Structure formats: structure tokens, C-alpha cells
Amino acid sequence: MYPCEKTKNHPIQFNWYLSKKTSSKTELTGNTTFLIPFDDTLTLDLNLSSWGSTGGWVPNVYIINAKKACSSLKYFSGNAFKPFKEGFNIPTFKCPLPVGIYVTPGIDMKKFEDLNVPKVYFYGKYKAVYHYKNLKNEVVGCNVAEINLIRPWETPI
């Protein structure tokens, strides 16, 4: 996980990292900074790319364009929103999420498995790019997550 544009100082910032605690436990650590409320005036644009057979990212494997970013994120997060909210000590479950800097010492990644998104994908390498935009269609936050889906008999890198 990493910011899309490290040189941009967006009003919504995700400084997230994965920390391997044991051979079977990985935690999400870092902080989330809201310099503006994370509310339903924002939109969420997600583009999932897959790694092509000849190299390079192939975009548009899965696309989400959602109005009402806060409510949409809660919906897509499903049962994983509660451990996220509690892990980052966000003071409310309701939208909007208030301005603030929210830090987590670590949230077990297994708690994020119960999302309201498709659960079946082909094995391979994927990249999800999340853009949050304001009413003027300006990017106010951006994050990237790269995911490797491996067969049960393969060894993680």
C-alpha cells in the first residue's frame, strides 16, 4: 500500500503500511489524516488493474465509481468497517468521518476479509487505485494497494 502521488499534499491522506508479525499474521499499520471531513459530498473511483501476461498493468479489470464516498466505502467495507473504525480510533460509525489524524498500532488483515466485493478472482497480481474526488472533480485523496493472489501450493514472495 502506498500513496498515488507522494509529492501531492492531499487533504485526505492514507499513510498505511503492512507489517508481517508472524508467518501467518500481517497487520495494517499507519495513519489516516482527514484535513477535510470524509463525507458523502466526495466520490470514490476505484480501478483494479491486473498484471498482463507480457508485463505491464492492464486497467479496468474491475471498476467502481460511487457517489457518496463515505456511505459507499462503509457499504463496500461490509463487516470490515467496524475493525477499521475501531483500529484507527475513529470516533463515529456515522458519516461524515470528522477531521483528524487517526493512528493504528496494527489491525490484523484477516479482519478485512469480509468485504462486500466479489470474492473470486483469477490467481495473479492486481493493483487497486482509489481516488477520492470533491464536487469540483478534484482529487482530494489517493491510495494504491497491490495484491498477489497465489495458489495454495505456492510460496508468498
Side-chain angles (χ1 to χ4, degrees):
M1 294 185 177
Y2 52 91
C4 297
E5 305 154 329
K6 293 182 182 183
T7 59
K8 298 273 185 169
N9 196 16
H10 293 301
I12 296 176
Q13 301 166 16
F14 304 96
N15 301 302
W16 297 347
Y17 309 93
L18 296 179
S19 176
K20 189 96 168 152
K21 293 297 180 181
T22 67
S23 61
S24 62
K25 184 177 182 181
T26 301
E27 290 184 342
L28 174 68
T29 61
N31 69 72
T32 301
T33 301
F34 296 140
L35 300 176
I36 59 172
F38 188 80
D39 60 21
D40 281 341
T41 64
L42 303 173
T43 58
L44 163 65
D45 291 338
L46 177 139
N47 192 307
L48 185 68
S49 301
S50 64
W51 188 255
S53 59
T54 58
W57 292 108
V58 179
N60 305 329
V61 170
Y62 187 72
I63 298 171
I64 295 174
N65 293 314
K67 305 290 184 196
K68 299 183 177 183
C70 185
S71 296
S72 296
L73 186 65
K74 284 178 64 175
Y75 169 77
F76 290 121
S77 297
N79 292 329
F81 188 75
K82 183 177 179 182
F84 176 83
K85 179 251 181 233
E86 290 171 350
F88 277 97
N89 297 308
I90 297 172
T92 182
F93 276 105
K94 297 179 182 178
C95 292
L97 302 181
V99 169
I101 298 173
Y102 304 102
V103 180
T104 182
I107 306 168
D108 187 350
M109 288 299 292
K110 290 196 183 301
K111 293 183 178 180
F112 296 114
E113 292 178 354
D114 195 11
L115 301 171
N116 286 332
V117 295
K119 306 279 191 288
V120 178
Y121 292 93
F122 292 108
Y123 295 112
K125 186 175 178 180
Y126 294 89
K127 177 170 73 169
V129 179
Y130 304 82
H131 286 101
Y132 298 95
K133 297 179 181 178
N134 63 16
L135 293 171
K136 298 176 186 174
N137 207 34
E138 300 166 330
V139 174
V140 294
C142 186
N143 201 33
V144 178
E146 291 188 23
I147 306 121
N148 284 311
L149 299 179
I150 60 172
R151 295 170 186 89
W153 58 85
E154 292 180 326
T155 306
I157 298 174

